[in-house]
Every structure is written in C-alpha cells, then in structure tokens.
Amino acid sequence: LGAAVLRVTRNSLKTVIHGSRLELDELCKADSEIDELHGAIINYLGSLSQQNLDDRQSGQLHRYLSAANYFESIGDMVETNLVVAGRHRCDANLRISPATEEMLVEFHDEVCRGVDHAIRSLVENDAAIAAEVTGAKLRISELGDRADEYLSRRLVAGEPNRLTAFRLESEIIEYLKRMFYFAKRIAKLVE
C-alpha cells in the first residue's frame, strides 16, 4: 500500500501541472489500486481483531489500521483534489510559469520525501526515521509560507487568467500540505 501511494504521490505534480486529460484520468485510475489494497488490508486487520489479542497486539493492530487509512487519504488527495486541479488547469488552458513550477517542485519533493520516510519508518519500525518526518513540519511550514508569499506577489502580475492561476496554484500547495500531514500522522504512529 505504501509503495502504491508513494508511486502516485511522485507522479502527481508533473501530471497535474503538465498532463493531458488522458494522463490525469490515468493518475485518477492509479488510486484504484490504492483503494483495493486499502480494502484488503482493512478486511484482513478486521479479521485479526476478532482474535484473542494481548494489549501490545491490539495497539499494533490499531496503528496498522490508522496507517492504512492515512495512506488511503493520501491517495484520495491525489485522486479527488489534485486531479481536479489538473482538470481545471486544462479547462482554463493555463500554463504554470517556470518559476512557479520550480517552487511547486521543491514543495512536492519535500512532501514525497516525507511520504517515503513515513513508509520506511512504519515498515522498519524506526522511530528515528519517523522523527525525521515529524521534524520536517517546520520545513514544510517554511516552504508553504514562501509559496504563499510568492503566489501573492504573482497575483498582481499582468498576465491573463492570473486570478484563476493563483487559485489553482494555491490549491495545489494546500493539497500538498495535507498530503504531508497524513505522512506525519503515519510517522507519529511509530515515534
């Protein structure tokens, strides 16, 4: 499940800011694998919950259920929110400027790093890796503030569709922040 989520997360930004409608549809379909895996994991963990578990096992089961739900939420952010933003970009025939793309890529890379490390921390049960994710909250916040400031300055640029572009770019940043939030929640299960 983590691998499927990471793959979709890594592919999301390029598709959202450059992809065709067909490529956006393919990105949306990739969430189907996440949904199927999530369902299978939840069913399996549900059957395990019927067993006579000790407190440690019950706690572990709860952490895995939560992690599966957070992974699924990241996938939903791509399918439901980022893909819709990409479709709006296509509808408005918007082009993201190279400078804005650079800012979005930097933010996206940090989110991907967070998702990757959250997965590793869970798989390896490594609190140090988990702490890297939760510790990156400040970096994400700084990047978000920088992005908001940058987008605000760009709002007054004399380009066509500037308000529409501002809304789209702001939405992408907010969706990436939420994806990182879920990665951080996964990491907190390990700390």
Side-chain angles (χ1 to χ4, degrees):
L1 179 58
V5 166
L6 185 58
R7 191 170 41 256
V8 167
T9 301
R10 285 182 174 150
N11 293 334
S12 63
L13 184 66
K14 182 179 179 185
T15 304
V16 168
I17 63 177
H18 292 293
S20 66
R21 289 189 173 283
L22 180 61
E23 290 167 320
L24 288 163
D25 290 344
E26 289 300 314
L27 183 60
C28 193
K29 287 178 189 172
D31 185 60
S32 299
E33 177 187 7
I34 293 169
D35 292 340
E36 288 175 23
L37 289 167
H38 176 257
I41 289 168
I42 297 302
N43 285 335
Y44 177 71
L45 293 175
S47 68
L48 284 181
S49 71
Q50 303 301 312
Q51 306 300 314
N52 189 15
L53 303 176
D54 62 32
D55 288 344
R56 184 190 64 77
Q57 292 168 325
S58 290
Q60 190 174 26
L61 179 77
H62 173 66
R63 284 190 301 278
Y64 288 148
L65 280 168
S66 295
N69 287 334
Y70 294 139
F71 282 131
E72 207 266 336
S73 293
I74 293 170
D76 284 349
M77 289 302 305
V78 173
E79 175 193 33
T80 307
N81 300 99
L82 285 174
V83 167
V84 169
R87 289 180 179 146
H88 288 165
R89 177 195 48 82
C90 289
D91 292 344
N93 198 27
L94 289 175
R95 292 185 43 90
I96 305 296
S97 73
T100 301
E101 180 176 350
E102 184 179 319
M103 178 268 304
L104 290 171
V105 166
E106 181 181 13
F107 200 97
H108 179 255
D109 287 349
E110 194 67 34
V111 170
C112 289
R113 188 176 301 104
V115 172
D116 180 46
H117 282 94
I119 294 164
R120 285 186 39 223
S121 72
L122 185 67
V123 169
E124 298 172 18
N125 195 31
D126 191 323
I129 297 172
E132 289 178 27
V133 179
T134 57
K137 179 183 176 186
L138 180 60
R139 171 92 171 120
I140 289 289
S141 181
E142 289 170 355
L143 287 171
D145 290 347
R146 255 185 28 217
D148 290 343
E149 183 180 316
Y150 170 81
L151 292 178
S152 294
R153 284 192 316 267
R154 296 263 310 136
L155 184 57
V156 296
E159 297 174 11
N161 297 320
R162 192 61 236 148
L163 181 58
T164 304
F166 172 81
R167 286 181 182 145
L168 173 75
E169 294 157 357
S170 296
E171 285 176 3
I172 292 170
I173 290 294
E174 287 306 310
Y175 300 146
L176 291 173
K177 285 179 186 176
R178 285 191 196 159
M179 292 166 70
F180 180 79
Y181 167 81
F182 292 122
K184 187 178 69 165
R185 299 298 305 161
I186 294 165
K188 282 187 176 276
L189 295 170
V190 179
E191 284 187 323

